[in-house]
Amino acid sequence: MTAITTSRVESIKPRWQAIVMVALIFWLSVSVILDLVIMPSLYVSGMMTSPEFTTAGNLMFWGFNRVELICSGLVATGLMVLSNLVGDFGKRSRTAILLSLVLLAIALIDTYALTPQMSALGIQLNLFDSAAEVPAGMNLLHQGYFALEALKLAVAGTLLGWCYQNQV
C-alpha cells in the first residue's frame, strides 16, 4: 500500500511544481512588461497628462491586479501542497510558504489599496479645468507601488529559483 501512495505522491509533485513555476513565470513576465515597457511608453507618449489616462490606467490595472491575485493564490496553494506532499516540512518549505504569503499580501495591497487610491487622486472632476497637474500625493503612491514591485520581483525570483532547483 505504501508503494502506491509513494508512487502517487511522486506523480503529483511535478504537476504542482510545474503549476507554481508557470504561475511565477507568467506573473513575473507580465509585471516586467507592464512596468518596463507599457508604462514608460505611455509616459513618453504624453498620455500621463491626458485626462483620460486615469480611466485607462484604472482599467488596465484593474485587470492586471486580478490576474496577480490568481497567480499569487496559485503560488501559495502550490507551495503548501508541495510542502505537505514531501513528509519533511523543512526550513526551506516554511520559508517558501511565508514568501508566497508575502506575494499574496503585495497583490492584495496593490489591488485594494494602491490602485484605487491612485485612481481616486488622478480623476479630474472639474470638466472646465484644462490644466492637468499630477497631485502631490501621487508621487508618494508611485514610490510605494514601485517599492512593492521590486520586492515582488525579488521574492518571486527567489521562489522560482528554488522551484527550478527542486529545493522547495
Side-chain angles (χ1 to χ4, degrees), residues 30-50:
V30 172
S31 292
V32 167
I33 289 171
L34 187 67
D35 293 337
L36 299 180
V37 176
I38 294 174
M39 292 310 291
S41 65
L42 290 177
Y43 183 75
V44 169
S45 71
M47 189 173 172
M48 299 279 268
T49 59
S50 170

Side-chain angles (χ1 to χ4, degrees), residues 1-162:
M1 193 70 160
T2 59
I4 294 172
T5 306
T6 305
S7 170
R8 181 156 171 79
V9 167
E10 289 303 318
S11 70
I12 292 173
K13 184 179 177 187
R15 288 185 205 159
W16 276 104
Q17 193 163 357
I19 289 170
V20 169
M21 288 180 66
V22 166
L24 283 170
I25 290 169
F26 175 74
W27 188 9
L28 285 174
S29 63
V30 172
S31 292
V32 167
I33 289 171
L34 187 67
D35 293 337
L36 299 180
V37 176
I38 294 174
M39 292 310 291
S41 65
L42 290 177
Y43 183 75
V44 169
S45 71
M47 189 173 172
M48 299 279 268
T49 59
S50 170
E52 296 87 23
F53 178 73
T54 302
T55 306
N58 187 25
L59 184 63
M60 181 173 47
F61 279 101
W62 187 91
F64 175 68
N65 287 338
R66 278 24 182 215
V67 170
E68 270 193 317
L69 287 173
I70 291 169
C71 289
S72 64
L74 276 173
V75 169
T77 302
L79 289 174
M80 287 179 200
V81 168
L82 284 172
S83 69
N84 283 329
L85 283 177
V86 175
D88 172 6
F89 197 71
K91 184 179 181 181
R92 180 70 54 104
S93 294
R94 287 186 189 127
T95 306
I97 290 172
L98 286 174
L99 290 178
S100 71
L101 293 176
V102 167
L103 288 176
L104 181 62
I106 290 171
L108 287 168
I109 290 169
D110 284 348
T111 302
Y112 297 113
L114 285 177
T115 300
Q117 189 65 28
M118 283 191 264
S119 297
L121 275 177
I123 271 184
Q124 184 176 357
L125 297 176
N126 187 354
L127 297 175
F128 304 110
D129 188 16
S130 63
E133 291 183 21
V134 177
M138 188 68 83
N139 289 333
L140 183 61
L141 290 173
H142 279 120
Q143 289 171 357
Y145 175 80
F146 282 112
L148 285 176
E149 283 294 300
L151 179 63
K152 177 178 71 176
L153 292 174
V155 169
T158 301
L159 287 176
L160 185 61
W162 289 353

